[in-house]
Amino acid sequence: MKFFWIIPFFLLQDTEAFLMKNAKVKLCLQASQMDGNLLLEDCNPESDFQDWSWQGHSLMNHGTQSCLSVVGAGSVQMSLCGSVGYTSWDCSNSLLSPLGSSQGYLVANRKGVALNNVKGLKAQWQDAADRSVCEEKAAKAEQGRYFLAALASTDSYDHVADNVTLALGVSEEELEELLWFFRREDPSAWNYSVLALSFVALILGVLLLAINIVRNRKRKIHMYREALQTAQEAELEAKQSLMLMEEYSLAKLPKQEPVPQDRRSGDVVVQWKDGTVTSLYTES
């Protein structure tokens, strides 16, 4: 039973990461990936190099998997957790100071961070919700106490289970098998149901695709026929208009009078005012 309590405890470790934002400059503490230096950058909750968590009394960076440590007189860098430069930190009223040392507090400056005896806003560290990082440490310690209490409760459960098995006259393995038999649910029905629904959805999708293809084909055929009919009607109207124009032109042409029989081609005739017509030249 302890195994089922240990698994969620370790799975929830990454969910306790928090940002370390300085109360004065409003920038977040970020660990350098290359040389282990500490920088003050714009807060970015998506960056692992700005994620910190309490591991006991030490502050571990999730991006570098190293701990915040004091490496010299007033200098702070990242170092491997458990190494020689590994430092534990005391947290009180948003102030961070090396545990068991009087070197000062972790203070923000232009170059990054350092140790100084200043207690102002430059030495106060908060999370993204403007809560003290000390509250994160207290919450982590409280979770550890809950975990220990859960382990103690599982121990008592194991003792009770042993007494129950003795009273029932069955072994512990048989009792566990019975418990898991009644807790277990056969997923075959659910798997078959999902498979059937997937098959129905596939058939429905194919049917809708076929209907869509047929409708598009009919729509194209209908549009082609309408365009063909429109072209034929326009051609018929054009032919009718041309025929009307030809008839009108023929009607406007002047009618040629027949040449009298006593006249010959080449004769010059004159029509007088009284209406008589005479030949200008007569044959000699």
Side-chain angles (χ1 to χ4, degrees):
M1 295 297 293
K2 295 180 182 179
F3 181 72
F4 297 102
W5 288 94
I6 294 174
I7 290 177
F9 175 76
F10 286 104
L11 289 178
L12 291 175
Q13 295 296 315
D14 293 338
T15 62
E16 299 169 359
F18 56 88
L19 299 178
M20 289 183 60
K21 182 175 64 176
N22 188 266
K24 177 67 175 179
V25 298
K26 301 298 181 182
L27 298 176
C28 288
L29 187 63
Q30 177 175 318
S32 176
Q33 185 180 5
M34 303 299 296
D35 51 10
N37 289 331
L38 294 165
L39 309 172
L40 289 176
E41 301 289 345
D42 294 332
C43 295
N44 181 17
E46 301 297 329
S47 175
D48 291 338
F49 297 98
Q50 293 186 7
D51 286 342
W52 301 84
S53 64
W54 284 102
Q55 303 295 330
H57 292 288
S58 62
L59 280 167
M60 188 184 74
N61 184 270
H62 285 208
T64 60
Q65 295 296 316
S66 55
C67 292
L68 186 66
S69 305
V70 178
V71 295
S75 299
V76 182
Q77 270 190 338
M78 303 302 299
S79 63
L80 296 177
C81 300
S83 62
V84 178
Y86 169 74
T87 305
S88 298
W89 294 88
D90 183 28
C91 189
S92 177
N93 297 327
S94 302
L95 301 175
L96 291 171
S97 61
L99 189 64
S101 175
S102 59
Q103 297 183 20
Y105 303 96
L106 187 66
V107 179
N109 55 26
R110 295 181 179 179
K111 296 182 180 180
V113 291
L115 293 180
N116 201 316
N117 291 323
V118 179
K119 290 186 178 181
L121 293 177
K122 289 185 177 181
Q124 295 183 8
W125 298 93
Q126 303 169 341
D127 60 5
D130 294 337
R131 296 177 301 183
S132 173
V133 294
C134 301
E135 296 182 11
E136 301 288 344
K137 184 177 182 180
K140 182 64 178 295
E142 189 71 18
Q143 181 185 1
R145 286 195 294 271
Y146 282 138
F147 177 68
L148 294 176
L151 288 179
S153 65
T154 55
D155 290 338
S156 62
Y157 172 79
D158 292 338
H159 293 305
V160 174
D162 293 337
N163 296 332
V164 171
T165 55
L166 291 175
L168 294 177
V170 294
S171 64
E172 185 178 356
E173 291 78 6
E174 293 177 353
L175 181 60
E176 291 291 336
E177 184 179 357
L178 290 174
L179 290 175
W180 282 109
F181 176 77
F182 288 107
R183 291 178 185 175
R184 186 176 57 200
E185 181 181 359
D186 188 11
S188 300
W190 172 253
N191 293 336
Y192 291 144
S193 300
V194 172
L195 182 61
L197 290 176
S198 302
F199 184 70
V200 171
L202 177 62
I203 293 178
L204 183 60
V206 173
L207 180 61
L208 292 176
L209 179 62
I211 292 175
N212 191 19
I213 292 174
V214 171
R215 287 187 175 180
N216 287 337
R217 185 173 299 174
K218 289 183 178 180
R219 181 172 57 85
K220 290 181 180 179
I221 293 174
H222 181 67
M223 292 176 62
Y224 174 75
R225 289 179 179 177
E226 286 185 351
L228 184 60
Q229 185 177 1
T230 303
Q232 291 177 353
E233 292 178 355
E235 185 180 359
L236 182 60
E237 290 179 357
K239 289 181 178 180
Q240 292 178 354
S241 301
L242 183 60
M243 292 176 62
L244 291 175
M245 291 179 63
E246 290 178 353
E247 293 177 355
Y248 179 77
S249 299
L250 291 175
K252 286 293 185 178
L253 290 175
K255 295 181 180 180
Q256 296 181 357
E257 294 181 357
V259 179
Q261 295 180 356
D262 56 348
R263 297 179 187 172
R264 292 177 301 177
S265 118
D267 289 346
V268 178
V269 295
V270 178
Q271 184 177 4
W272 303 97
K273 288 184 178 181
D274 58 357
T276 59
V277 177
T278 60
S279 177
L280 184 59
Y281 301 101
T282 58
E283 294 181 0
S284 57

